[in-house]
Amino acid sequence: MSLTMKDLDTGATNTWCPGCGNFAILMTVKQALIQLGLNPSQVVAVSGIGCHGKTTDYLKVNTFHVIHGRVLPAATAIKLANHGLTVLGFAGDGDAFNIGMGHFPHAARRNVNMAYIVHDNLIYGLTTGQASPTSRQGLVTKTTPRGSAEPGVNPLTQSLTGGATFVARTFAGEAKHMTEVLKRAITHRGFAVVDVLQPCVTFNRVNTYEFYKQRVRKLEEEGHDEGDFEAAYRRAQEWGDVIPIGVFYVEERPTYEDGFPALAGGPLVGQPLSRDLSGLMAEFK
Amino acid sequence: MSLTMKDLDTGATNTWCPGCGNFAILMTVKQALIQLGLNPSQVVAVSGIGCHGKTTDYLKVNTFHVIHGRVLPAATAIKLANHGLTVLGFAGDGDAFNIGMGHFPHAARRNVNMAYIVHDNLIYGLTTGQASPTSRQGLVTKTTPRGSAEPGVNPLTQSLTGGATFVARTFAGEAKHMTEVLKRAITHRGFAVVDVLQPCVTFNRVNTYEFYKQRVRKLEEEGHDEGDFEAAYRRAQEWGDVIPIGVFYVEERPTYEDGFPALAGGPLVGQPLSRDLSGLMAEFK
Amino acid sequence: MKCKGLRDDTVSVVIGGEAGQGISRSGELLGKALMRCGFHCYGTMDYPSLIRGGHNFYQLRASSRPVYSQTPYADVLIALNRESVGLHLGSMNAGGGVIHDERDALEEGLGRDRGINLYPVPLTDIVKELGGPDIMRNTVALGAASALIGLDAGTLKQVVAETFEGREKIIKMNEDAIQRGYTYVAGQDYGFGCCLESGERPRGQWLTGNDAIALGAMAAGCKFYSAYPMTPASPLLHYFASHDKAGGTVAIQTESEIAAAMMAIGASYAGIRSMTGTSGGGFSLMTESLSLAAMSETPLVVMLGQRPGPSTGLATYSAQGDLLFAVYGAHGEFQRIVVAPGDVDECFYLAAEAFNLAERFQIPVILLTDKTLVESNQTTDAFDLSRVSIDRGKLVESWEGPGEYLRYRDDEDGVSPRAFPGAEGILVPANSNEHLENGLSTSSSEAVAKMVDKRFRKAQHIRAAVEGLQPIRVYGDKRPRVTLVGWGGTKGPALEALGMLRDDGVKARFVQVVFMEPFPGGLEKYLKGTCVLFEDNRSAQLGTLIRLNTGYAFKHVGLRYDGRPFNPGEIRDRVLEVLG
Amino acid sequence: MKCKGLRDDTVSVVIGGEAGQGISRSGELLGKALMRCGFHCYGTMDYPSLIRGGHNFYQLRASSRPVYSQTPYADVLIALNRESVGLHLGSMNAGGGVIHDERDALEEGLGRDRGINLYPVPLTDIVKELGGPDIMRNTVALGAASALIGLDAGTLKQVVAETFEGREKIIKMNEDAIQRGYTYVAGQDYGFGCCLESGERPRGQWLTGNDAIALGAMAAGCKFYSAYPMTPASPLLHYFASHDKAGGTVAIQTESEIAAAMMAIGASYAGIRSMTGTSGGGFSLMTESLSLAAMSETPLVVMLGQRPGPSTGLATYSAQGDLLFAVYGAHGEFQRIVVAPGDVDECFYLAAEAFNLAERFQIPVILLTDKTLVESNQTTDAFDLSRVSIDRGKLVESWEGPGEYLRYRDDEDGVSPRAFPGAEGILVPANSNEHLENGLSTSSSEAVAKMVDKRFRKAQHIRAAVEGLQPIRVYGDKRPRVTLVGWGGTKGPALEALGMLRDDGVKARFVQVVFMEPFPGGLEKYLKGTCVLFEDNRSAQLGTLIRLNTGYAFKHVGLRYDGRPFNPGEIRDRVLEVLG
Ligand SMILES: Cc1ncc(C[n+]2csc(CCOP(=O)(O)OP(=O)(O)O)c2C)c(N)n1
Ligand SMILES: Cc1ncc(C[n+]2csc(CCOP(=O)(O)OP(=O)(O)O)c2C)c(N)n1
Ligand code: SF4
Ligand code: SF4
Ligand SMILES: [Mg+2]
Ligand SMILES: [Mg+2]
């Protein structure tokens, strides 16, 4: 019996602003799970704190709504504890690249086998409109009354430099594109980053649906080579009249769980707690 | 009366291991300060925790030996509080790219006007030999008995991606090269990262003086264009038979302090504490 | 000046609707207008952690006598949506009136059984006619409410005009909106039961605890505010960010709370009065830095605005659950001051004083507040700047000797001479390692014990300073039958409850503990007879400190831990229950 | 079995030299050999935070009766450099002997006035002859010391051989080194005053508190250890990293303590028994996660190894300054357990029990230790694995209903049914926001209060469980003239002091508080007559907890806060001083 959208709905009242890009993300995540034929009980969603973080209130799978910026370490450990599970991380741009930045390159180089979905609205939503690390220079917010002074963090070049093995961007206004990218990210074996351009209709009046609609170009329509790191890095730097979306880079590399001998025999969670300690105790005798 | 090496010596007993690369770093920092004619009372050195952190016990300038991984926020604020000072940050590879990683891209994009000197020994020294984020794959340490599984963090590509405006690498076995690079970093207007290949003679038996001597090549002798970001990124990825050292990239961009109107009239610390509050209070009337 | 509410000597207006309808702004504007007309006001906002939709409400109380808190009752309800009517009708006073959008077409006679009248106003239609944005409905409603309670529309218009200063078209539109709402209701002659007569002397100011703290910091010469956004401390960051030019300050939205604390410490080391602010989760992240401030003897002021935990908890509600954490949080042993203001005045004067205490003793000072206190508006007299003095403690600008400058000199009072980097002839060390007098690291047994003792010798001086700042404040009857004890945001409802108890013929007093660490002496003398402790938490944390410091264990407590502040009536009821 | 020291019934060997000379390793090998010969041993290392040079020393005490701590006295000094002679001569017992390198050419007759004999051994020359590395000097010295104290060289050789298992050349070289040192001294017939006669029954094991905690965790089925290196907890990480294959565990050196705690929580949520360990600075960074564990009701075990603070403090020394932080650290209000073992046995059994407590109550459990405890070696009987049982609490593997699975079901005992993701038909939510029984976020007043109450209802059950674990342990005389009170690493020297006081004719007992939170009942009954509190901190933090929980305020305390553990003699002296 196949899964329906309704099966993935928790029934919680959705409190996102009408028109928020998060709705489309939530919907396409559900669609991706359905299309991939995944069993909700084998999926874990970990979310940070922010508007994006409410995803775990609305998506009926196993969920851990953690603290601000800490999706990655929690998700990493969940995957190691039970690598049979499909692990999805949902983070905000502030969550991922401000307070959570310290974890990002490490999850990337470890190649933690999970999809990391960044709801990138270039603003702090839930705390009512402060600058985010991805806010573009000049964005006026509650904390940057004269416009953000610093260049924004680029999630894609950060992912590439960090060593992520799947690096993509998509746009909440392009549901089909998003679904396809998410499906690939979820099935990718390794750390898959998906930067989702997510309009925040309330606090970011610059990077709107219109803004993106006029600018996004699909890499897959432009003959981009997903195996070419340099090309990926170059295209990832583009942000102007053209904003490329699609899969920038893919690489195969052993995943984090491959490095632990204890996992060779199957998920850790399935192994018995008691074990023979005589060998360990003998060392002290 | 010009400064001598002795003037920059605190008299504290040095406790680095004989042969440690830190000695050369300390010496060349002193030389750079002398050659630049800087007044010690106008210099602040901020250090993290680790063998490198002891620098502040040995360098007779204003010093703040902070906590592990927190050189950057402390140094950033010191510079903003008194932008007349020359601010130097001394960090370890673990300090900078593990626990302190969350601050790094932000200092870079803000273009905090300081030199950030990373004592990069590819190992945890002070805590007796665990893997560091820059440890190369395969390095056997106390925490990686089968060799480090993940690819190391690359301080240079991280700097470039983060937005540092001066990105360099030098080698503790090349005192002259180091002095020149440090002088340029210290005088650079903006965030200058210097990754110093620093042999840890006790715990890293792979990346030794010999190892580097056989491999380092000076960019300045190879016609490298410091203004070419792509070339810088490409060369920064090299780590094998050839390990390039030198200045990879330089860019001019407004520094962090340029963005604060309060600093326009001179260092914040010089401005009187009391001010007329009537305007501010009127808002509530 | 006169004020007659339906229930007591206060008029209470509730504005209810969805997030995004500008409810908080409306409440604040109305409060300011009322203040200008001479009334004392209190206003507070109840909102869940979401941006649009859901249910928000602002409660505003005004009176000719000081008001300190919200109540659950409303004389007037401004219902910006249908849902608000349903949610608030039950707590309206008999005789109350509901201003709502005609379009909502409420069921005829709704609430009539309880004496409530519906006053439909064509909010949407008026806005449409004026060509304004939807959000202007609340401006029309404010005009209507003014007419109902007898408030002069002119004052309200002026307040609105000031808010939109420079944007003439918007001002005009809003003035028209107010006027249309006003005229619409004034024309109906509803004979509403509330009566407000403007007084001569306008109140001084109308502001939140956060506003007062920001002003206090400004008055104290704070020039550096670094913070990561977190409710309920974010408004401080917004204030500093939007006033950096006017205040000559640096405001930074940092990448994390760790960076926020470390920046404040860095700035302080460099000679600047600095501050950071956060809530519990962020404070957790700051504890390592707090310990650094202590060891390096770098002054640090932290505003910790409490909200319900553990963890993310209830992000937009209020609590007093971090008291023991503020007192004992961070590793190692060191002196600190924890001070908990209870109203906007205390927010201002104690924030200003926090900087003196931090610098005089070279220690961290935690300004412990809660959401109710820092996000609610109160009227108060203009702050008296002459009461704010600046004392930076043992500063040296040059060094004559003897010997070299010793940043950590083993002075009798435990406080060593402090200098700033950049001073000619002085090099300033600061060290997170245990250190010698000259700042160099040490692990020598004798040197360590000596330095620990030096820092601990500050204790008695800190204690003396705190005792001089009225660390315990007592309100109400001198010979009470019952003593209420509390702190922080609980002060407001407790003071209101005192008045209610007086009306009930019960002589009562309220003892407010203002300084939590060091814990002030002399509290015992108030802990006589029947005492009831009120706290917005589950485990009576002030009770723990009191037990520890005085041996007194409360038999009676009133605790609330659902994120909402106490209502005065609840406190009164609990006291009466205890008195039996 | 016989053991006669120069001062008492223990033989004390101090090995002194520079960091990098393999001092700690030597001490541990010697201790193991002594254990194998049937002796009780205690060994501890004193070292500053540096890698080479400086001064390190290891003190090893052996006896035919249990030994619990170091003393400041030495019968034998193995001086690997000249400096060590100068530093330790003053604390040697009369009749003692110094084994040193002939090449150091110590001044003839040094120490003779105090009855100390110099025993030069050609350490360097022998190593050169054997063609070994410099560091082998200490192996030669160990052989020499064995001869001096009458220890069989064969046992020592075997211990060394096991250490270098598989590396035959190194083993051979070391065996030769031992033999050469042994022969050199044995040939001299020094007539040294210490006498050790091997016993029949070898002791069970020789290990540190960290080793014991690691084994306890393994015994409890812990399969995931995530940590960031920090003295004195790093050895736990090293242990797990080097035994991950043998133990079937995952060990991760994380990027920070925040990641370490969050990973442990993630693994626990997913159904694995997990643990993290750190010291005060790292624990500060973990407090936000601790609060998450509490709110999400995810079991978590944290080893907090104390060292002197504040801040970086004295990185390689010992303290008990984080007690109140462990008890009150982290924002919001929640139940936790803080348990402080005092010797290697308690480290093992309580670490194992910590996992049961964490899972039964779905709360954080903090194993509070100190450097002295976790980095010092002790002999003890082999751990009795039958005493370790595994109780995972309310686990469900499938859900029959009624209704949908409620992760946070409002059960009477406050503990809700826990399931792991992956179980068919169950979806497992965990939430940092306040939530409903089904895990969805809520800010409803009633739901919030209900959930807070649910979590707080655990309190009585936790208390009952703790009371069943001997939270207070009493040693010594049943009808004492004086009661010593202490905890953690202070237990060892206190127990030694009891023996000394007995010899002085003073009947004394030692009361060890093992559980700090919830604070155990019944301590009052021991707080009679003269009581003296001993803690390795400046502000008597256990004293604070005792005052809070029993009302008892200590008149007499003995506090040490220079980073060094108490010497038993200091405790004895302080007790005698108090007794007058
Ligand atoms: C430690 C901590 N600091 C601050 C906060 C307050 N906070 C909640 S969400 C958020 C940022 C939201 O921005 P983002 O991550 O971009 O998410 P969005 O709301 O835009 O989806 C902040 C600062 C918190 N919950 N925890
Ligand atoms: C919060 C915190 N965690 C852990 C430590 C322990 N610690 C001290 S130095 C260090 C790492 C040293 O490595 P690195 O930064 O590379 O410096 P190095 O010693 O190699 O110069 C660690 C983990 C600490 N001081 N503080
Ligand atoms: S504030 Fe922005 S991100 Fe948050 S729900 Fe509203 S539109 Fe979406
Ligand atoms: S351990 Fe390594 S980095 Fe530290 S002082 Fe020794 S050689 Fe230098
Ligand atoms: Mg965002
Ligand atoms: Mg290093």
Side-chain angles (χ1 to χ4, degrees), chain C residues 48 258 280-282 284-285 287-288 291-292 294-295 309-314 317 321-322 324-325 328-334 432-434 442-446 448-449 452-453 455-457 537-541 544 547-549 560-564, chain D residues 48 258 280-282 284-285 287-288 291-292 294-295 309-314 317 321-322 324-325 328-334 432-434 442-446 448-449 452-453 455-457 537-541 544 547-549 560-564:
Chain C
I258 298 177
S284 279
L285 291 171
T287 49
E288 194 200 6
S291 192
L292 169 65
M295 182 55 122
S311 204
T312 314
L314 294 175
Y317 289 85
D322 300 338
L324 293 170
F325 183 33
Y328 295 117
H331 63 294
E333 303 178 283
F334 55 87
S432 75
N433 286 305
E434 195 54 277
T442 187
S443 57
S444 133
S445 163
E446 298 70 34
V448 169
V452 173
D453 283 333
R455 289 192 298 266
F456 267 75
R457 278 203 306 278
N537 61 38
R538 176 65 169 70
S539 56
Q541 301 193 18
T544 298
R547 186 145 42 102
L548 178 63
N549 287 285
R560 185 157 191 175
Y561 45 87
D562 61 351
R564 277 69 178 175
Chain D
I258 297 177
S284 280
L285 291 171
T287 49
E288 194 200 5
S291 191
L292 169 65
M295 182 55 122
S311 204
T312 314
L314 294 174
Y317 289 85
D322 300 338
L324 293 171
F325 183 33
Y328 294 116
H331 62 294
E333 303 179 283
F334 55 88
S432 76
N433 287 305
E434 196 54 276
T442 185
S443 57
S444 134
S445 163
E446 297 70 33
V448 169
V452 173
D453 283 333
R455 289 191 299 266
F456 267 75
R457 278 202 306 279
N537 61 38
R538 177 65 170 71
S539 56
Q541 300 192 17
T544 297
R547 185 147 41 103
L548 178 63
N549 287 285
R560 185 156 191 176
Y561 44 87
D562 61 352
R564 278 68 177 175

Side-chain angles (χ1 to χ4, degrees), chain D residues 405-480:
Chain D
Y405 168 63
L406 295 177
R407 170 66 188 96
Y408 298 108
R409 194 175 63 190
D410 193 21
D411 283 12
E412 181 53 38
D413 61 356
V415 181
S416 309
R418 185 164 159 247
F420 305 141
E424 221 8 85
I426 299 185
L427 294 177
V428 187
N431 200 340
S432 76
N433 287 305
E434 196 54 276
H435 41 258
L436 304 170
E437 289 180 271
N438 64 7
L440 295 177
S441 306
T442 185
S443 57
S444 134
S445 163
E446 297 70 33
V448 169
K450 183 168 139 171
M451 201 48 74
V452 173
D453 283 333
K454 178 192 99 73
R455 289 191 299 266
F456 267 75
R457 278 202 306 279
K458 296 177 185 178
Q460 53 176 312
H461 304 286
I462 296 172
R463 185 168 291 282
V466 163
E467 294 295 350
L469 293 166
Q470 287 185 268
I472 295 167
R473 301 181 186 184
V474 184
Y475 311 85
D477 214 284
K478 291 259 160 352
R479 297 160 160 267

Side-chain angles (χ1 to χ4, degrees), chain D residues 299-335:
Chain D
L300 175 66
V301 177
V302 185
M303 196 289 267
L304 165 49
Q306 298 165 100
R307 66 189 218 190
S311 204
T312 314
L314 294 174
T316 57
Y317 289 85
S318 198
Q320 302 186 303
D322 300 338
L323 171 56
L324 293 171
F325 183 33
V327 171
Y328 294 116
H331 62 294
E333 303 179 283
F334 55 88
Q335 306 299 318

